[in-house]
Amino acid sequence: MSFISVMETIGKGFAKGLKWAVEYAVPVEKLVGLLFPVAAPIANEVADATSLIQTAVLLVEQKYAASGAQSGTGAQKLSEVLLLTEQAVTALLAKAGITADSSYIANVVSAVVAILNVQNGQGSVAA
């Protein structure tokens, strides 16, 4: 089996895993209500930003789980999620009238992780 075919097989499994993870995730409307209670009615930009963060958290967590390096990597995972989302989330929240700097977005990411950790009292997402 060539390197490329191995990577394609891994990629297909990763895509299936991410699809499952997104289905497991908290509905965005509930997350927005918890994270941005003052943004009612929910602005599309806030929902998009929240969805982007949650998907990035799930993606990064899945990556670490697949590599067997899941524990003790919270700061690294947070850094990766911020790298993937910070600029877009800042812009989306600004459109909704919410000023967000790096520490604010990091706190939102941590809140998403905490919510996912207690989702149905099962699972472990440690970003």
Side-chain angles (χ1 to χ4, degrees), residues 18 21-25 53-63 116 125:
L18 181 60
V22 169
E23 289 172 3
Y24 165 80
I53 289 170
Q54 179 172 238
T55 302
V57 166
L58 293 169
L59 180 67
V60 169
E61 182 62 28
Q62 185 181 15
K63 172 187 156 187
L116 288 171
V125 178

Short mmCIF file of all heavy atoms in Angstrom, two decimals, residues 18 21-25 53-63 116 125:
data_model
loop_
_atom_site.label_atom_id
_atom_site.label_comp_id
_atom_site.label_asym_id
_atom_site.label_seq_id
_atom_site.Cartn_x
_atom_site.Cartn_y
_atom_site.Cartn_z
N LEU A 18 -15.50 13.05 11.90
CA LEU A 18 -15.90 14.44 12.11
C LEU A 18 -17.40 14.59 11.91
O LEU A 18 -18.06 15.29 12.67
CB LEU A 18 -15.14 15.39 11.17
CG LEU A 18 -15.48 16.86 11.34
CD1 LEU A 18 -15.17 17.34 12.76
CD2 LEU A 18 -14.73 17.70 10.33
N ALA A 21 -18.94 13.43 15.01
CA ALA A 21 -18.68 14.37 16.10
C ALA A 21 -19.59 15.58 15.99
O ALA A 21 -20.12 16.06 17.00
CB ALA A 21 -17.21 14.80 16.09
N VAL A 22 -19.80 16.09 14.79
CA VAL A 22 -20.66 17.25 14.61
C VAL A 22 -22.11 16.89 14.97
O VAL A 22 -22.82 17.68 15.57
CB VAL A 22 -20.55 17.80 13.17
CG1 VAL A 22 -21.62 18.83 12.88
CG2 VAL A 22 -19.16 18.40 12.95
N GLU A 23 -22.53 15.65 14.65
CA GLU A 23 -23.87 15.22 15.03
C GLU A 23 -24.01 15.12 16.55
O GLU A 23 -25.07 15.35 17.10
CB GLU A 23 -24.19 13.88 14.38
CG GLU A 23 -24.40 13.99 12.88
CD GLU A 23 -24.53 12.64 12.19
OE1 GLU A 23 -24.51 11.60 12.89
OE2 GLU A 23 -24.63 12.63 10.96
N TYR A 24 -22.93 14.77 17.24
CA TYR A 24 -22.92 14.66 18.70
C TYR A 24 -22.94 16.04 19.37
O TYR A 24 -23.42 16.19 20.48
CB TYR A 24 -21.66 13.89 19.12
CG TYR A 24 -21.33 13.99 20.59
CD1 TYR A 24 -21.98 13.21 21.54
CD2 TYR A 24 -20.36 14.89 21.04
CE1 TYR A 24 -21.69 13.30 22.87
CE2 TYR A 24 -20.06 15.00 22.39
CZ TYR A 24 -20.73 14.20 23.30
OH TYR A 24 -20.43 14.30 24.62
N ALA A 25 -22.46 17.01 18.66
CA ALA A 25 -22.25 18.35 19.23
C ALA A 25 -23.56 18.97 19.71
O ALA A 25 -24.66 18.58 19.31
CB ALA A 25 -21.61 19.25 18.19
N ILE A 53 -16.49 27.69 16.00
CA ILE A 53 -15.68 27.32 17.17
C ILE A 53 -15.92 25.87 17.56
O ILE A 53 -14.98 25.10 17.77
CB ILE A 53 -15.97 28.27 18.36
CG1 ILE A 53 -15.39 29.65 18.09
CG2 ILE A 53 -15.39 27.69 19.66
CD1 ILE A 53 -15.83 30.71 19.09
N GLN A 54 -17.19 25.48 17.66
CA GLN A 54 -17.50 24.11 18.07
C GLN A 54 -16.93 23.10 17.08
O GLN A 54 -16.33 22.09 17.48
CB GLN A 54 -19.00 23.91 18.22
CG GLN A 54 -19.37 22.50 18.63
CD GLN A 54 -20.83 22.34 18.95
OE1 GLN A 54 -21.13 21.95 20.07
NE2 GLN A 54 -21.73 22.64 18.04
N THR A 55 -17.06 23.35 15.80
CA THR A 55 -16.53 22.44 14.78
C THR A 55 -15.02 22.35 14.87
O THR A 55 -14.44 21.26 14.78
CB THR A 55 -16.98 22.87 13.38
OG1 THR A 55 -18.41 22.90 13.33
CG2 THR A 55 -16.46 21.92 12.31
N ALA A 56 -14.36 23.49 15.09
CA ALA A 56 -12.89 23.49 15.22
C ALA A 56 -12.46 22.70 16.47
O ALA A 56 -11.48 21.96 16.42
CB ALA A 56 -12.35 24.91 15.27
N VAL A 57 -13.18 22.87 17.57
CA VAL A 57 -12.86 22.12 18.79
C VAL A 57 -12.97 20.62 18.52
O VAL A 57 -12.08 19.84 18.88
CB VAL A 57 -13.78 22.54 19.97
CG1 VAL A 57 -13.70 21.54 21.12
CG2 VAL A 57 -13.44 23.94 20.45
N LEU A 58 -14.05 20.21 17.88
CA LEU A 58 -14.24 18.80 17.57
C LEU A 58 -13.17 18.28 16.62
O LEU A 58 -12.65 17.17 16.80
CB LEU A 58 -15.64 18.58 16.98
CG LEU A 58 -16.80 18.83 17.92
CD1 LEU A 58 -18.11 18.85 17.16
CD2 LEU A 58 -16.84 17.80 19.03
N LEU A 59 -12.83 19.08 15.63
CA LEU A 59 -11.81 18.68 14.66
C LEU A 59 -10.45 18.51 15.32
O LEU A 59 -9.77 17.49 15.12
CB LEU A 59 -11.73 19.73 13.54
CG LEU A 59 -10.72 19.50 12.44
CD1 LEU A 59 -11.12 18.29 11.61
CD2 LEU A 59 -10.63 20.72 11.55
N VAL A 60 -10.06 19.47 16.14
CA VAL A 60 -8.76 19.40 16.82
C VAL A 60 -8.74 18.24 17.80
O VAL A 60 -7.76 17.49 17.88
CB VAL A 60 -8.42 20.74 17.51
CG1 VAL A 60 -7.23 20.62 18.44
CG2 VAL A 60 -8.17 21.82 16.45
N GLU A 61 -9.82 18.05 18.54
CA GLU A 61 -9.89 16.94 19.49
C GLU A 61 -9.77 15.61 18.76
O GLU A 61 -9.07 14.71 19.20
CB GLU A 61 -11.19 17.00 20.29
CG GLU A 61 -11.31 15.90 21.32
CD GLU A 61 -10.24 15.94 22.40
OE1 GLU A 61 -9.73 17.03 22.70
OE2 GLU A 61 -9.92 14.87 22.94
N GLN A 62 -10.45 15.50 17.64
CA GLN A 62 -10.39 14.26 16.87
C GLN A 62 -8.98 14.01 16.36
O GLN A 62 -8.49 12.88 16.37
CB GLN A 62 -11.37 14.32 15.71
CG GLN A 62 -11.44 13.02 14.94
CD GLN A 62 -12.39 13.09 13.78
OE1 GLN A 62 -12.80 14.17 13.37
NE2 GLN A 62 -12.75 11.95 13.25
N LYS A 63 -8.32 15.06 15.93
CA LYS A 63 -6.94 14.94 15.44
C LYS A 63 -6.03 14.39 16.55
O LYS A 63 -5.24 13.47 16.32
CB LYS A 63 -6.44 16.30 14.98
CG LYS A 63 -4.98 16.35 14.63
CD LYS A 63 -4.54 17.77 14.35
CE LYS A 63 -3.06 17.92 14.58
NZ LYS A 63 -2.62 19.29 14.48
N LEU A 116 -19.20 20.85 25.98
CA LEU A 116 -19.08 19.55 25.32
C LEU A 116 -18.69 18.46 26.32
O LEU A 116 -19.13 17.32 26.19
CB LEU A 116 -18.06 19.62 24.18
CG LEU A 116 -18.53 20.40 22.95
CD1 LEU A 116 -17.37 20.60 21.98
CD2 LEU A 116 -19.69 19.69 22.26
N VAL A 125 -13.80 16.04 25.87
CA VAL A 125 -13.16 16.95 24.93
C VAL A 125 -12.30 17.88 25.75
O VAL A 125 -12.82 18.62 26.56
CB VAL A 125 -14.21 17.77 24.13
CG1 VAL A 125 -13.53 18.72 23.20
CG2 VAL A 125 -15.14 16.84 23.38
#
